[in-house]
Amino acid sequence: MALNIVEKIWQQHVVNQQEGFPDVLAIDFALLHEVTSAQAFQMLGDRGLGVHDPRRFLATIDHSIPTRSDRQRITDPQARAQIAALRENCQRQQITLCEPDSGGQGIVHVIGPELGITQPGMTLVCGDSHTATHGAFGALAFGIGTSTLAHVMATGALLMNRPGIMQVAFHGELPQGVYAKDMILRLIADIGIDGATGHVIEYTGQAVRDLSMEQRMTLCNMSIECGAVAGLVAPDETTFRYLKGRPYAPPDAQWQQAVEHWQSRASDPGCGYDKTVTVDIRQLTPMISWGTNPEQSIAIDQRIPNGPGSDQAALNYVGLKEAQSLTGVPVDWAFVGSCTNGRIEDLRVVASILNQKTIAPHVTMYVVPGSEAVRQQAIEEGLDQIITRAGADFRMPGCSMCLGMNDDQVPAGARCISTTNRNFIGRQGTGSITHLASPATVAMSAVAGHITTQLTTMNQQEAS
Amino acid sequence: MKAAIKTITGNVIPMPLNDIDTDIIIPAQHLTQTSRAGYGQHAFARLKKADPEFVLNQPRFASATILVTGDNFGCGSSREHAVWAIQELGIQAVVAPSFADIFSNNAQKNHLPLITVDQSVCAQMVALAHKDNHPVTIDLLTTTLCAGGQQHPFTINPFFQHVLTAGLDELDYLMNHLAAIKRHHQNADQRQCFLQLAGALS
Ligand code: SF4
């Protein structure tokens, strides 16, 4: 029988099926961070249980760590306690922790792939809703809550009903200057923030095949923003090339066998899906969010909806009007980073736009690499120089301004154009206004001082 | 084993907003605790602050225990803190036309019943609560909800229903399968899983 990739992975990981109960699904690997793990360790402690196999866990510190250069000095006593708890728990349970300045620290969804942990056909979980990022490798990867994390720690499995499987077929070639970020914002705008609830998405189409691993990660990352359990892309040569030689990846002796197995994971021709959505991207232009959830997104050259599709409460919050054009709306902050767009390719795009330019004087711009490895690579390529010379702040790795739980927050009433994944009310700090866009759009808007997809040839500064 | 929950009776907290996300339920700034307690005081903080008339600021709803809300409740992040915060407010059940997936899983683990009813039933309950807040009864065994003298059928995932009404602890259930799970991992490691687990980072 022709099976799709999710059915194959599911079949291979089901340990027990019992009428009236969810399946017992084996989990190959779990990633931990400081915010959602302490209570899981506590739950194990309460029952006198240990971690079933510490080698299947890796921890990092990303959400609450500051991104200034002296980031080891954490002023918030609660954040400090949280980090200390993670350290202690990892030590006690013998779980590897990627400490700051070890070379391996970074956002949990950036370091997993970098280390070669994320591999095709595996099941991977993390106490974070953007775990779908790892689906770029053809892994079934999804976010779980703290109790479920405790289950995985204690047993190596969790209880779950098999989700529905939805094919999202991108039709056509991706136009120049348009990115995976625009593809996923288009999809979310089309199907809504609960358009894929209860489903795992498989992204298909030549445009997806043509994407680099970094771009595929951006695409899968935001699957949760349309309610999906997970999102994935079948593995191919691009995937294998990325994985080769990484620390957790199979060694040469095993490589061929691994690749054959991975290839066998791809959906069979003629397989079925519970649902199929087609997105035509032949005319796609850069996208941007206007409201207070990711579904409220439009092509930048369109106007904010008037009548149906409009949302007065959201517009009041963001200080915009129905039928208004976003082009030309002044921005105060620009943020490049997060597990959506904090990888080396994103930084390259940003640097190519900022090259020989300066950002508008009223704009504060943070560029935050997703990991220490990304930061190191950016420095080796001289990107940090370009970014700093343009007047932006090139910072230390972490989640930073993606969610306002560290020092990096957008002030109340300020408007931020951001490469992150959520424009919820107050997400980047109480009272902050967020517009989601691709790194290219963020960089161009930072230079212009307002929302734009045009690369201004000369700054106001230079002109005056 | 946890305590079995078969019926719940309480007054309604009317919060008819769609897409209440976990950042609204408990903002990220308050996630820096290492315990499961201490989130209730920050629950819905932004809505409480923004509007003095917000339902949770009104003394007449202070002792109500059944939250009635809009579509897609609990969307957004995987933070289980959202469920802990709601429970700490004394809320014993949430009634809505639909719920987000991870939130639903988290509620199940914490035995917080999520009751799915039609939009129209929610609207009716909200209207009733504003007029005259009489107790509502949720019967988890018969999956009916009684409000204002009327019976409404509701839906709940059958396993979720079982977990609540039998007081089942999922971790206990999983622990019973521990040997099979171990065997699975050992076999998979040889045939289908190519992770270099030993010493990858040393
Ligand atoms: S960068 Fe943002 S979305 Fe990604 S893990 Fe960190 S907080 Fe979550």
Side-chain angles (χ1 to χ4, degrees):
Chain A
M1 207 181 96
L3 295 178
N4 65 46
I5 180 168
V6 181
E7 290 167 324
K8 290 183 190 185
I9 299 176
W10 198 271
Q11 250 180 23
Q12 195 172 70
H13 288 82
V14 166
V15 176
N16 188 269
Q17 277 179 315
Q18 186 179 337
E19 182 65 27
F21 286 79
D23 293 352
V24 174
L25 187 74
I27 299 300
D28 293 318
F29 207 93
L31 295 160
L32 311 177
H33 61 84
E34 74 277 24
V35 179
T36 52
S37 60
Q39 294 89 348
F41 284 108
Q42 177 86 51
M43 288 173 195
L44 294 197
D46 290 350
R47 294 190 185 221
L49 297 170
V51 170
H52 82 105
D53 181 355
R55 301 169 311 154
R56 293 178 184 277
F57 296 82
L58 184 86
T60 186
I61 300 168
D62 53 4
H63 282 63
S64 57
I65 191 168
T67 58
R68 50 182 153 69
S69 52
D70 61 339
R71 62 187 177 147
Q72 300 264 27
R73 184 176 59 79
I74 295 161
T75 47
D76 179 348
Q78 286 182 328
R80 212 161 48 219
Q82 208 166 43
I83 292 169
L86 181 64
R87 249 177 217 137
E88 196 191 309
N89 284 322
C90 285
Q91 207 157 32
R92 183 153 4 101
Q93 302 287 354
Q94 300 187 310
I95 291 173
T96 308
L97 170 63
C98 295
E99 285 278 2
D101 308 328
S102 65
Q105 180 266 345
I107 302 173
V108 69
H109 309 310
V110 177
I111 66 170
E114 269 173 13
L115 293 170
I117 288 171
T118 315
Q119 295 179 15
M122 75 189 296
T123 51
L124 182 148
V125 294
C126 173
D128 186 280
S129 58
H130 293 96
T131 308
T133 314
H134 306 263
F137 292 80
L140 181 60
F142 50 92
I144 55 174
T146 300
S147 296
T148 313
L149 179 59
H151 297 180
V152 174
M153 285 176 164
T155 69
L158 50 75
L159 279 174
M160 191 168 169
N161 288 309
R162 207 202 76 185
I165 300 148
M166 176 171 165
Q167 181 190 28
V168 171
F170 285 101
H171 186 64
E173 248 180 68
L174 194 60
Q176 266 290 321
V178 188
Y179 300 86
K181 183 63 165 282
D182 304 305
M183 292 166 73
I184 188 69
L185 283 174
R186 179 75 266 159
L187 173 72
I188 298 164
D190 284 358
I191 68 171
I193 49 171
D194 54 0
T197 300
H199 290 77
V200 173
I201 297 174
E202 181 182 359
Y203 297 101
T204 65
Q206 190 55 44
V208 176
R209 298 261 74 86
D210 292 344
L211 295 176
S212 65
M213 286 319 294
E214 278 86 353
Q215 294 259 323
R216 290 180 193 183
M217 285 188 249
T218 302
L219 185 68
C220 291
N221 173 275
M222 287 187 72
S223 304
I224 181 76
E225 308 310 336
C226 51
V229 176
L232 46 66
V233 173
D236 59 12
E237 287 307 319
T238 307
T239 323
F240 310 147
R241 221 177 305 123
Y242 181 100
L243 277 169
K244 185 107 189 158
R246 297 191 181 257
Y248 278 78
D252 288 347
Q254 246 193 348
W255 184 254
Q256 204 41 44
Q257 194 196 346
V259 167
E260 277 163 29
H261 172 68
W262 293 340
Q263 279 165 335
S264 77
R265 298 299 82 193
S267 294
D268 297 327
C271 68
Y273 295 93
D274 297 300
K275 217 169 164 182
T276 293
V277 170
T278 307
V279 184
D280 190 340
I281 54 166
R282 284 172 300 181
Q283 310 291 332
L284 189 66
T285 51
M287 298 283 296
I288 188 162
S289 71
W290 54 265
T292 53
N293 71 47
E295 170 188 336
Q296 296 175 333
S297 295
I298 49 173
I300 296 192
D301 47 21
Q302 283 179 325
R303 286 172 181 273
I304 295 172
N306 195 357
S310 169
D311 177 342
Q312 205 46 60
L315 287 172
N316 287 345
Y317 182 79
V318 300
L320 296 169
K321 287 200 266 315
E322 284 188 350
Q324 187 178 342
S325 164
L326 283 169
T327 308
V329 171
V331 293
D332 311 299
W333 284 75
F335 177 68
V336 175
S338 86
C339 58
T340 314
N341 283 119
R343 283 170 283 268
I344 189 66
E345 262 191 31
D346 302 311
L347 267 47
R348 286 184 191 134
V349 168
V350 167
S352 75
I353 290 165
L354 295 184
N355 195 14
Q356 310 281 334
K357 299 224 162 19
T358 50
I359 60 171
H362 67 275
V363 173
T364 310
M365 184 177 191
Y366 278 12
V367 178
V368 179
S371 70
E372 291 183 345
V374 170
R375 186 170 188 275
Q376 196 47 45
Q377 180 71 27
I379 291 171
E380 270 162 36
E381 296 179 20
L383 308 182
D384 60 322
Q385 296 293 327
I386 297 172
I387 290 164
T388 314
R389 239 183 280 127
D393 202 348
F394 183 77
R395 298 176 71 90
M396 300 298 284
C399 294
S400 183
M401 217 165 246
C402 176
L403 90 171
M405 76 169 291
N406 42 62
D407 302 348
D408 304 351
Q409 301 199 10
V410 176
R415 189 178 301 282
C416 178
I417 186 158
S418 177
T419 67
T420 52
N421 43 53
R422 280 187 182 144
N423 52 339
F424 293 159
I425 290 177
R427 170 81 178 181
Q428 295 190 290
T430 305
S432 61
I433 300 167
T434 303
H435 294 282
L436 306 174
S438 74
T441 302
V442 170
M444 287 190 259
S445 302
V447 171
H450 56 254
I451 296 171
T452 183
T453 53
Q454 305 296 319
L455 186 54
T456 19
T457 41
M458 204 190 285
N459 280 333
Q460 288 103 331
Q461 252 191 342
E462 293 162 19
S464 58
Chain B
M1 274 294 161
K2 292 194 180 179
I5 307 173
K6 289 173 181 154
T7 58
I8 299 157
T9 301
N11 284 351
V12 164
I13 305 171
M15 202 187 285
L17 301 168
N18 289 337
D19 304 315
I20 292 191
D21 59 66
T22 51
D23 283 72
I24 294 179
I25 301 171
I26 180 85
Q29 291 91 302
H30 303 298
L31 301 184
T32 45
Q33 312 269 352
T34 53
S35 69
R36 268 165 281 171
Y39 302 102
Q41 53 178 318
H42 303 299
F44 301 97
R46 285 197 189 113
L47 294 178
K48 276 183 172 163
K49 203 172 147 206
D51 177 11
E53 293 299 303
F54 180 62
V55 61
L56 294 177
N57 289 332
Q58 297 187 35
R60 59 180 286 228
F61 296 112
S63 61
T65 53
I66 297 175
L67 177 63
V68 178
T69 180
D71 253 325
N72 198 28
F73 185 80
C75 61
S77 95
S78 63
R79 62 187 72 150
E80 200 160 313
H81 312 66
V83 174
W84 302 329
I86 286 173
Q87 286 182 314
E88 218 175 296
L89 288 180
I91 291 169
Q92 290 173 14
V94 186
V95 181
S98 64
F99 297 92
D101 286 330
I102 308 180
F103 180 81
S104 203
N105 280 324
N106 289 340
Q108 183 176 312
K109 304 286 181 291
N110 290 280
H111 293 214
L112 171 69
L114 303 185
I115 307 297
T116 309
V117 295
D118 281 351
Q119 188 84 58
S120 61
V121 177
C122 279
Q124 222 175 314
M125 290 173 78
V126 166
L128 274 174
H130 278 295
K131 212 165 76 198
D132 203 356
N133 208 356
H134 286 301
V136 163
T137 297
I138 294 165
D139 188 329
L140 286 160
L141 291 169
T142 61
T143 61
T144 46
L145 180 155
C146 182
Q150 274 188 317
Q151 303 272 359
H152 305 281
F154 66 79
T155 52
I156 182 166
N157 168 313
F159 182 65
F160 197 165
Q161 180 191 25
H162 176 72
V163 163
L164 293 168
T165 54
L168 176 85
D169 184 280
E170 287 185 40
L171 184 49
D172 287 341
Y173 178 81
L174 270 172
M175 291 300 285
N176 291 335
H177 295 281
L178 205 54
I181 299 166
K182 255 205 169 69
R183 250 193 331 272
H184 171 93
H185 279 306
Q186 277 160 2
N187 291 341
D189 278 353
Q190 285 152 21
R191 291 186 288 111
Q192 299 127 349
C193 191
F194 294 90
L195 278 165
Q196 293 308 296
L197 290 171
L201 288 187
S202 52

